[in-house]
Amino acid sequence: QQQVKQSPQSLIVQKGGISIINCAYENTAFDYFPWYQQFPGKGPALLIAIRPDVSEKKEGRFTISFNKSAKQFSLHIMDSQPGDSATYFCAASMTNQGGKLIFGQGTELSVKP
Amino acid sequence: EAGVTQFPSHSVIEKGQTVTLRCDPISGHDNLYWYRRVMGKEIKFLLHFVKESKQDESGMPNNRFLAERTGGTYSTLKVQPAELEDSGVYFCASSHLPGEGHTFGSGTRLTVV
């Protein structure tokens, strides 16, 4: 019930294309859903986050789509660039349980020029 | 503001030895978390401090792991004695409030040989 499942494990996209990464969760008590971007040798960096009372959030080229009834959320990267090549993690947390993050397995994104 | 700092960045130790990892969170962040990523798997929660108190240590693997947070400032994670399966990247993260995004350090890559 605490799991977050992420797919695909790896993704190759051409420059200018749309990258889509999907996550699914079971626990309806989760109330915070962040996406993290990680470059080699660095720690995960918060990219964008959403709460379940909103169905979509956009920040620049990055958009989270959230489907509460399906218990799914996804990250869309528009106009993907080679600099977006990184590992992306979705996560979920519950504020009333201290906010610890439950992570998905990660997606290695490669954007080809 | 300075980010989350972790030391050392890499550590190679022999099985049975002791290693101490250190984390300096962002100043003023009461919430400090430890996570671990083993062999390319998902990042897993280890424990959560609120100031100097352990709020949740449900993710600690066993009693060979000991975490402390002196005076609610920096934190240490000691592994004694280290085993081969303890190898991985240990991340520290902090946040002002529990229900908001974490700021991660760059991690400590621990290799037990």
Side-chain angles (χ1 to χ4, degrees), chain A residues 2-6 23-25 30 73 90-92 102-105:
Chain A
Q2 291 285 342
Q3 281 187 318
V4 176
K5 295 183 179 180
Q6 183 172 345
C23 285
Y25 64 97
F30 287 136
F73 59 112
C90 63
I102 309 299
F103 281 91
Q105 293 85 349

Side-chain angles (χ1 to χ4, degrees), chain A residues 3 32 34 36 38 41-46 51 87 89 93-95 97-106 108, chain B residues 31 33 35 37 40-45 48 55-56 58-59 89 91 97-107 109:
Chain A
Q3 281 187 318
Y32 182 70
Y36 284 85
Q38 185 183 19
K42 301 293 185 183
L46 180 64
R51 297 197 183 272
T87 301
F89 294 94
S93 70
M94 289 177 273
T95 304
Q97 287 203 7
K100 67 183 179 186
L101 294 170
I102 309 299
F103 281 91
Q105 293 85 349
E108 290 191 21
Chain B
N31 293 274
Y33 306 82
Y35 294 86
R37 191 179 191 202
K41 295 186 177 180
E42 71 267 30
I43 301 169
K44 286 196 172 181
F45 168 80
H48 170 213
Q55 192 77 8
D56 179 356
S58 61
V89 182
F91 292 106
L97 297 172
E100 64 183 23
H102 298 2
T103 300
F104 280 80
S106 293
R109 180 173 296 277

Side-chain angles (χ1 to χ4, degrees), chain B residues 35-72:
Chain B
Y35 294 86
R36 178 174 74 172
R37 191 179 191 202
V38 175
M39 298 235 359
K41 295 186 177 180
E42 71 267 30
I43 301 169
K44 286 196 172 181
F45 168 80
L46 295 178
L47 87 158
H48 170 213
F49 283 98
V50 177
K51 296 185 180 179
E52 68 276 6
S53 300
K54 291 177 186 175
Q55 192 77 8
D56 179 356
E57 45 186 336
S58 61
M60 295 288 263
N62 50 60
N63 59 10
R64 295 185 293 104
F65 289 74
L66 176 64
E68 295 179 328
R69 189 178 182 190
T70 306

Side-chain angles (χ1 to χ4, degrees), chain A:
Chain A
Q1 197 179 21
Q2 291 285 342
Q3 281 187 318
V4 176
K5 295 183 179 180
Q6 183 172 345
S7 64
Q9 187 174 356
S10 62
L11 180 62
I12 299 175
V13 173
Q14 291 296 316
K15 178 182 176 181
I18 302 173
S19 303
I20 302 174
I21 304 171
N22 301 297
C23 285
Y25 64 97
E26 290 294 325
N27 193 337
T28 56
F30 287 136
D31 60 3
Y32 182 70
F33 300 87
W35 283 90
Y36 284 85
Q37 179 188 57
Q38 185 183 19
F39 293 106
K42 301 293 185 183
L46 180 64
L47 190 61
I48 186 172
I50 199 166
R51 297 197 183 272
D53 54 343
V54 176
S55 62
E56 185 176 281
K57 183 173 181 180
K58 183 176 180 180
E59 290 184 1
R61 296 184 295 109
F62 301 91
T63 300
I64 298 179
S65 296
F66 187 83
N67 186 328
K68 189 174 181 178
S69 61
K71 292 186 285 187
Q72 295 176 347
F73 59 112
S74 60
L75 175 69
H76 295 234
I77 305 174
M78 311 299 290
D79 186 26
S80 297
Q81 299 296 313
D84 297 331
S85 298
T87 301
Y88 292 81
F89 294 94
C90 63
S93 70
M94 289 177 273
T95 304
N96 65 5
Q97 287 203 7
K100 67 183 179 186
L101 294 170
I102 309 299
F103 281 91
Q105 293 85 349
T107 296
E108 290 191 21
L109 172 65
S110 178
V111 181
K112 300 299 185 184

